[in-house]
Every structure is written in structure tokens, then in C-alpha cells.
Amino acid sequence: VAFAFMSAAFTAAAHVKVAFMHPFVRDLYKRAILVGRDYPHKDGLDYVRKTWKKALRDPSNCPLYYNSSDRAKDEKDIEREILKAVGRGRYMVKEMAGIIQLKKYREMKKRYGSNDGADKLEEALRLLSENAENGPKTGG
């Protein structure tokens, strides 16, 4: 009885299409999730996860992979298109990192005020350099 159950399970599993994810695409998704931890959105990481999953599953991002009827002939073209799409994705990860850095910079500037102290320091250094160029003043 157990053998019959196992053989039925194997035949059912044989008809299921297994999804394959290219290693570069998996790496790209991991990078996006890692960077997305600090993404400035009200949903944060959940928003990044949903957006990236939607983008990775969208056939318009890599049409040859989804629409190719003769896979053996188009294998090199598909690989080239996947690499190109991964390159665009890596660019988007860098853009996400830039947005996060900008948000952190603005928060620090808001928290600690403007750079008035730096302006005062620059003024003091300018006065010191002017005094050094003119030489010491003698009382005479």
C-alpha cells in the first residue's frame, strides 16, 4: 500500500513544471533584499520584496525567456538577454542604495541642523590666513 502511494506521488510530481531561476537572477534578488532593508517607504522591506518579485516575474523584462518556442536554438540569445536584464537590475539596486543614502543624509541634516558651525569655522580659518599673510601686527 505504501509503495502504491509513493508511485502515485512520483507520477503526479513528474507532471509538475519545476521553476528554474538563473543564479544571476537569484543573486540580484538577494542584493535587492539586502539593500531594501533600509528603503524609505512606509512598508519598507515588504514593499521592496513585492516590487522585486513582480518585476522578476514580468515577461516584458526578458521576453525571449518567456516566449521562446525553440529553446535549443535561442539558448545563447536567452542567456545574453538575461545578463542584460540582470545588468539593469543591478543598476536599480545601486539607485536604491543612492535613495537610502540621500534619505539618511537629509535625516542627519534635519536632526543636527544646518552647517552653521562649518561656516563659522571657515570664517575663522579665513581670518587666520589673512592675518598670516599680512604678518603680525606691531604696536607702533
Side-chain angles (χ1 to χ4, degrees):
V1 176
F3 179 70
F5 173 73
M6 288 175 49
S7 65
F10 285 130
T11 56
H15 297 292
V16 175
K17 185 178 179 181
V18 178
F20 171 73
M21 184 182 279
H22 196 280
F24 288 154
V25 176
R26 186 178 302 113
D27 179 62
L28 177 66
Y29 180 71
K30 287 179 181 180
R31 288 178 190 214
I33 295 301
L34 185 67
V35 170
R37 290 179 184 171
D38 295 329
Y39 194 74
H41 189 270
K42 64 178 181 162
D43 294 335
L45 185 59
D46 289 334
Y47 171 77
V48 172
R49 187 177 289 123
K50 288 176 188 175
T51 305
W52 274 87
K53 281 186 178 183
K54 182 180 174 185
L56 290 176
R57 292 175 180 158
D58 187 10
S60 66
N61 288 330
C62 197
L64 277 180
Y65 181 76
Y66 291 99
N67 300 332
S68 180
S69 58
D70 186 15
R71 290 235 181 232
K73 185 178 98 175
D74 296 334
E75 199 65 36
K76 289 182 181 178
D77 293 335
I78 291 171
E79 184 74 18
R80 192 175 305 122
E81 188 169 353
I82 288 173
L83 292 176
K84 203 160 96 174
V86 167
R88 289 191 309 264
R90 286 183 179 172
Y91 174 77
M92 293 309 298
V93 169
K94 290 177 187 174
E95 287 292 316
M96 285 174 51
I99 289 171
I100 292 166
Q101 289 174 352
L102 180 64
K103 175 70 175 173
K104 287 181 178 179
Y105 168 76
R106 287 180 177 168
E107 186 63 32
M108 294 291 284
K109 189 172 181 181
K110 183 173 75 172
R111 185 176 297 166
Y112 296 110
S114 64
N115 59 357
D116 289 340
D119 291 341
K120 290 177 185 175
L121 179 64
E122 287 178 11
E123 179 66 23
L125 289 173
R126 187 185 61 77
L127 289 173
L128 282 173
S129 66
E130 285 178 3
N131 288 340
E133 289 173 4
N134 296 334
K137 292 187 177 186
T138 58

